[in-house]
Amino acid sequence: MLAAPRGRPRAAFLQLAVAARTMAGAPTVSLPELRSLLATGQARLIDVRSREEAAAGTIPGALNIPVSELESALQMEPAAFQALYSAEKPKLQEENLIFFCQMGKRGLQATQLARGLGYTGARNFAGAYREWSQKEG
């Protein structure tokens, strides 16, 4: 457990601890938390890497929507989304809508984009596929 450094007000320390759980203002999810959410069926994963990258390996259950298509995909009518991606379109209020890429940058961009479009439960798996493949694969 983290302890507040001497001479530093507890409130300021807590703000720093919360900030450490985000990347540039986008909420993140850790690998242990992701494992737990997946085990209980509480996460919806979107792999924003290219189709070629995703075809080479991805997190089981992830839907591949390349980051270059994400904005238009998230603004589609549900029937069009279903037809193109063979999956139900995420709902704006969906909790634990988790984006990831290979290293973290595109996942962060995707999370920020989704949150900007009103997807309040959008989060970034900061460890990305790289961490998953090293520890799970």
Side-chain angles (χ1 to χ4, degrees):
M1 173 141 194
L2 296 173
R6 289 179 175 248
R8 184 159 206 149
R10 182 159 176 75
F13 178 75
L14 290 175
Q15 285 178 333
L16 289 174
V18 169
R21 296 264 311 153
T22 66
M23 289 180 64
T28 61
V29 60
S30 66
L31 180 58
E33 186 179 6
L34 179 61
R35 282 187 197 122
S36 176
L37 291 169
L38 290 172
T40 57
Q42 297 178 12
R44 177 102 183 253
L45 287 174
I46 300 182
D47 182 345
V48 297
R49 298 176 301 153
S50 71
R51 286 184 182 24
E52 295 78 21
E53 287 174 291
T58 191
I59 299 173
L63 173 64
N64 178 230
I65 305 175
V67 73
S68 61
E69 297 174 18
L70 187 64
E71 184 171 11
S72 62
L74 293 178
Q75 295 181 63
M76 286 179 175
E77 291 298 320
F81 186 97
Q82 175 74 39
L84 186 58
Y85 297 106
S86 300
E88 184 180 342
K89 181 183 174 188
K91 294 173 178 48
L92 289 175
Q93 67 278 12
E94 192 164 333
E95 291 184 36
N96 300 313
L97 181 60
I98 300 171
F99 296 91
F100 70 94
C101 61
Q102 184 66 33
M103 304 279 287
K105 184 178 178 184
R106 290 173 288 175
L108 172 61
Q109 291 170 338
T111 302
Q112 291 171 329
L113 173 71
R115 290 182 74 80
L117 292 173
Y119 289 85
T120 57
R123 300 169 71 188
N124 179 35
F125 172 36
Y129 186 67
R130 180 178 185 182
E131 181 179 19
W132 179 271
S133 64
Q134 290 172 347
K135 296 182 178 173
E136 299 293 319

